[in-house]
Amino acid sequence: MRRRILRSMLTVLTLTTVILGVPLVYTAWLWVEDITRNDLQNRLDRIAAEIIAQERADGTVLGELDVRSIAPLVPDNGRLTIVYPSARDGTARRDVGVAEVPEPLVESLSMGTSGSLRLEVPAAPMHAMQRQAVAVVALAVLASLAAAFSVAVVTARRVADPLRDVAARAARLAMGDFRPDPRRHGIAELDRVSDVLDSATVEIAGRLQREHALVADVSHQLRSRLTAVRLRLDELSAHTDPEVVHEAEEAMAQVDRLTDAIDDLVRTSRDEDAADRDPVPVMDELRGVVTEWTHPFTEAGRTLALTGDQSLCAPITGSRLREAVTVLVDNALMHGGGTCTVSVRSVLPGTGREPLVCVEVADEGGGVRDELAPHIFDRGFSGGGSTGVGLALARALIEADGGRLELQRRKPALFAVFLGSSKVRALNSVVSEPR
């Protein structure tokens, strides 16, 4: 950020220097020439006064023009040409100074009936002064640019470093670091942001503590109730009817799985970061879900199938993935039709990026109506009379591990879970293209 700010400021300063410096250099060049020409004009005016002083009443000069008072007014290496009316010859010409001037700078003066003057001086001294003036102006411009560069560096550091600190603090807050930061930077707007982050830190920390306490209380109450249910089912397992015993054992297995799922969700709710987790086999996590839901699908006269690459792994929380896929399979049972297929494959998100693991849940039913599709993941929204929490919860569970859940196809419905990002790895090099 500091580099971008500094580059922007230097670009503006350079453009300003060029826009103002070039006219200033040109002005200095013309200014030296104007000074030189004004000096020549002043000399011509004084020479003209000397000549007019030698005129007679009829406006002519008798005999030769006296140049003794004029010669000191002619610059060194200069040449003065005087054309004046003479009583003897009518019009006379007199040259004062050197015989020839190389690369002359010429100034003329007309004296009317008194004649005319032409003064020539070498242009080299004027050009030397012009180059000196341009050099002085250029040095001044460079000095101002260097000073502006120093100010730009200090300003960029003063602006960029506080912005970087505030951004880093916001990133720490997003990662769960709720420690207060008393540092302030003397910039009113950024200090205001820091104050807001302090307030948000206190509020978020308090809410998380209350939520964790609520989760712990709810999980305790659920485990207590599930324990009571299991005790009642344990009593039924001693029944003399084998069918009752079988149903009781199946129910106890469901209670055990539900208890384990609650424990996993409570545990993972306290560890939101999936970045450092070791990749787990996705198919192994989903196999239990498919096994659990095979019986309900069979009772409904339908089929539930699991297909895919056994070696694909992703750094995820197994319980979150299982709960999210359970929601999708349950929706396929309640609202879909035909065979429900849970498939696992790898997809390439783009050139130069590592493959993602994609879990797709598809059925052969009527799909999702067009008017419902934009709101299907909104919490509390339902088109089938349910609570409208399931899909919103499934998306939240997947996003908690850095993935995403999308409705890839409306009719028939196909939901896709993309797990992880660049951290997704496969145990082999087989990568399939997305369909």
Side-chain angles (χ1 to χ4, degrees):
M1 179 181 295
R2 181 192 303 177
R3 187 173 300 175
R4 291 196 301 270
I5 295 175
L6 183 59
R7 185 165 54 246
S8 300
M9 296 181 68
L10 289 180
T11 301
V12 174
L13 290 174
T14 303
L15 289 176
T16 303
T17 302
V18 171
I19 292 174
L20 297 180
V22 171
L24 188 60
V25 168
Y26 182 68
T27 301
W29 184 275
L30 294 181
W31 176 68
V32 173
E33 183 177 353
D34 288 342
I35 291 178
T36 304
R37 291 187 178 277
N38 287 335
D39 178 68
L40 296 180
Q41 283 292 337
N42 290 334
R43 290 175 182 270
L44 290 175
D45 290 339
R46 293 168 61 185
I47 292 171
E50 292 292 336
I51 294 174
I52 293 174
Q54 298 183 32
E55 289 183 354
R56 298 184 307 169
D58 60 358
T60 62
V61 176
L62 181 62
E64 290 291 332
L65 182 67
D66 186 6
V67 296
R68 287 178 297 177
S69 60
I70 298 175
L73 299 177
V74 179
D76 295 338
N77 299 323
R79 175 188 176 89
L80 174 65
T81 300
I82 306 172
V83 178
Y84 60 94
S86 173
R88 181 183 304 173
D89 301 323
T91 300
R93 173 176 172 170
R94 184 73 181 270
D95 294 328
V96 181
V98 299
E100 185 177 357
V101 178
E103 297 182 4
L105 177 66
V106 180
E107 281 293 319
S108 302
L109 176 65
S110 175
M111 298 182 296
T113 59
S114 299
S116 63
L117 303 175
R118 176 185 173 89
L119 183 59
E120 302 176 19
V121 296
M126 182 191 71
H127 293 330
M129 292 179 59
Q130 286 178 322
R131 287 191 291 270
Q132 292 176 358
V134 169
V136 171
V137 172
L139 288 176
V141 169
L142 292 177
S144 63
L145 184 60
F149 176 78
S150 302
V151 173
V153 171
V154 174
T155 303
R157 182 183 297 112
R158 175 174 171 76
V159 174
D161 289 350
L163 285 174
R164 187 182 296 108
D165 292 341
V166 172
R169 185 182 176 192
R172 292 195 303 270
L173 178 61
M175 295 174 63
D177 185 356
F178 302 116
R179 291 175 297 177
D181 190 348
R183 289 183 301 173
R184 295 297 182 268
H185 304 90
I187 301 177
E189 293 78 5
L190 292 181
D191 290 344
R192 174 59 180 164
V193 174
S194 297
D195 293 338
V196 172
L197 287 177
D198 281 342
S199 302
T201 298
V202 175
E203 180 66 21
I204 293 173
R207 289 190 179 186
L208 287 177
Q209 289 178 354
R210 291 191 296 270
E211 289 180 1
H212 287 164
L214 177 61
V215 169
D217 293 342
V218 170
S219 63
H220 178 269
Q221 292 298 105
L222 286 175
R223 281 194 295 267
S224 299
R225 299 296 184 269
L226 290 173
T227 301
V229 171
R230 197 182 194 289
L231 291 175
R232 296 296 299 272
L233 292 173
D234 193 32
E235 294 177 0
L236 289 176
S237 64
H239 199 275
T240 56
D241 189 345
E243 293 185 0
V244 174
V245 173
H246 176 72
E247 293 297 330
E249 291 176 349
E250 289 292 330
M252 282 191 292
Q254 289 283 357
V255 170
D256 292 339
R257 284 194 291 269
L258 181 56
T259 302
D260 293 339
I262 291 174
D263 292 338
D264 287 342
L265 290 175
V266 172
R267 182 171 57 256
T268 55
S269 68
R270 297 169 182 171
D271 182 19
E272 295 291 334
D273 188 9
D276 299 328
R277 296 194 180 100
D278 293 330
V280 298
V282 177
M283 288 285 287
D284 291 348
E285 296 295 334
L286 298 180
R287 190 171 288 109
V289 176
V290 173
T291 301
E292 179 182 347
W293 284 88
T294 298
H295 182 66
F297 271 84
T298 302
E299 290 184 343
R302 297 172 57 190
T303 302
L304 177 62
L306 174 64
T307 62
D309 190 344
Q310 298 284 345
S311 63
L312 291 177
C313 298
I316 57 172
T317 305
S319 59
R320 288 173 176 165
L321 177 62
R322 292 194 300 270
E323 291 301 318
V325 174
T326 297
V327 171
L328 299 178
V329 172
D330 184 24
N331 277 358
L333 177 62
M334 297 296 297
H335 307 292
T339 300
C340 177
T341 303
V342 180
S343 58
V344 180
R345 63 191 182 93
S346 61
V347 296
L348 287 176
T351 304
R353 298 176 62 184
E354 296 184 15
L356 306 180
V357 174
C358 177
V359 178
E360 294 178 337
V361 179
D363 61 70
E364 300 171 348
V368 181
R369 298 198 303 272
D370 292 340
E371 65 272 14
L372 301 181
H375 309 285
I376 196 170
F377 292 106
D378 296 344
R379 184 175 293 273
F381 180 84
S382 175
S386 60
T387 60
V389 176
L391 288 176
L393 175 61
R395 170 171 276 187
L397 291 173
I398 296 301
E399 290 177 350
D401 278 340
R404 69 181 190 273
L405 170 60
E406 297 178 356
L407 175 61
Q408 290 289 90
R409 189 177 63 218
R410 297 183 181 182
K411 297 178 181 180
L414 187 151
F415 290 87
V417 178
F418 297 94
L419 300 177
S421 54
S422 61
K423 303 180 184 65
V424 176
R425 299 187 299 183
L427 296 181
N428 57 17
S429 61
V430 178
V431 178
S432 62
E433 295 291 338
R435 291 179 295 182

